[in-house]
């Protein structure tokens, strides 16, 4: 009988990521990964120092998938910021357990909810872009971004956790309505009251 092919680090990472997609993050343990790969736990620990190391790699891989989805949303379809919001919602709909791993597992440790929006990599550039496009001050652009982010995250969370349904057409309408309403209110206020 020919020797069984050796498992690569990528094979193990893929199996662990598939477990998250199928059963959630809590399913990632040595026994489940080994069962999925039809092997002993030895290959896992020959590539990863510990289960924490493997879980960190799974989290990083999920982040990369998410970041690619956001870039695709931002640059394809010509919808810019709206495209990103729709991509965020779509990611929650199609990758619900990865979304839960990234955004609903205690990752946000800020003391106030208002400190969450605008704290991830690249947010400052998007907020600056919103300010320039909409003619808003930096403080107003931050408020607009936060309002849209909370709306988008709320929709995405519902889709990722309880089987709610919302297609892209309805999501686009809601996000546009919220954007227009917030923009109108911010322009009515005038000045930069929160900078």
């Amino acid at each position: 009988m020919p020797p069984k092919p050796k498992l690569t680090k990528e094979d193990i990472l893929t199996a662990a990521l598939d477990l998250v997609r199928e059963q959630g993050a809590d399913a990632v343990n040595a026994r489940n990964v080994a069962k999925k790969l039809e092997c002993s736990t030895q290959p896992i620990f020959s590539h990863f120092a510990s289960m924490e190391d493997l879980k960190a790699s799974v989290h990083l891989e999920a982040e990369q998938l998410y970041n690619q989805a956001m870039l695709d949303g931002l640059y394809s379809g010509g919808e810019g910021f709206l495209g990103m919001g729709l991509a965020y919602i779509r990611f929650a709909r199609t990758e619900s357990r990865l979304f839960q791993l990234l955004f609903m597992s205690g990752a946000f440790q800020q003391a106030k909810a208002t400190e969450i929006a605008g704290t991830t990599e690249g947010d400052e550039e998007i907020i600056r872009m919103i300010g320039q496009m909409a003619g808003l001050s930096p403080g107003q652009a931050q408020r607009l971004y936060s309002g849209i982010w909370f709306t988008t995250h709320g929709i995405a969370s519902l889709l990722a956790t309880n089987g709610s349904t919302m297609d892209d057409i309805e999501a686009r309408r809601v996000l546009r309505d919220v954007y227009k309403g917030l923009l109108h209110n911010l322009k009515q206020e005038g000045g930069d009251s929160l900078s």
Side-chain angles (χ1 to χ4, degrees), residues 87-139:
Y88 189 84
I89 291 168
R90 206 173 294 125
F91 187 82
R93 185 187 309 123
T94 61
E95 294 284 6
S96 62
R97 290 194 169 117
L98 294 182
F99 180 87
Q100 290 172 29
L101 171 70
L102 294 173
F103 301 108
M104 304 180 82
S105 62
F108 296 131
Q109 298 297 320
Q110 288 81 358
K112 296 180 182 179
T114 55
E115 294 174 2
I116 295 171
T119 60
T120 56
E121 187 177 329
D123 284 354
E124 287 179 12
E125 184 176 328
I126 292 168
I127 292 167
R128 191 169 31 257
M129 176 183 76
I130 291 169
Q132 290 171 351
M133 290 172 52
L136 298 174
S137 69

Side-chain angles (χ1 to χ4, degrees), residues 19 27-36 39 41 44-45 51:
L19 275 171
V28 179
N29 61 50
R31 185 179 60 222
N32 287 345
V33 174
K35 183 178 178 182
K36 185 145 190 77
C39 69
T41 59
I44 297 166
F45 295 110
M51 282 308 298

Side-chain angles (χ1 to χ4, degrees), residues 70-93:
M70 294 306 98
L71 287 174
D72 291 347
L74 181 62
Y75 295 116
S76 66
E79 294 186 289
F81 184 51
L82 175 61
M84 268 185 85
L86 292 170
Y88 189 84
I89 291 168
R90 206 173 294 125
F91 187 82
R93 185 187 309 123

Side-chain angles (χ1 to χ4, degrees), residues 6 13-14 23 25 63 65 72 74 77 84 87 98 110 120-121 144 158 164-165 177 183 190:
K6 291 188 176 185
L13 182 57
T14 298
Q23 300 174 36
E63 281 181 353
L65 291 169
D72 291 347
L74 181 62
M84 268 185 85
L98 294 182
Q110 288 81 358
T120 56
E121 187 177 329
L144 179 60
L158 287 171
S164 293
T165 59
D177 288 349
L183 183 60

Side-chain angles (χ1 to χ4, degrees), residues 126-159:
I126 292 168
I127 292 167
R128 191 169 31 257
M129 176 183 76
I130 291 169
Q132 290 171 351
M133 290 172 52
L136 298 174
S137 69
Q140 290 173 315
Q142 170 67 44
R143 288 175 60 195
L144 179 60
Y145 178 86
S146 295
I148 295 296
W149 188 89
F150 283 119
T151 302
T152 304
H153 184 69
I155 293 168
S157 296
L158 287 171
L159 294 173

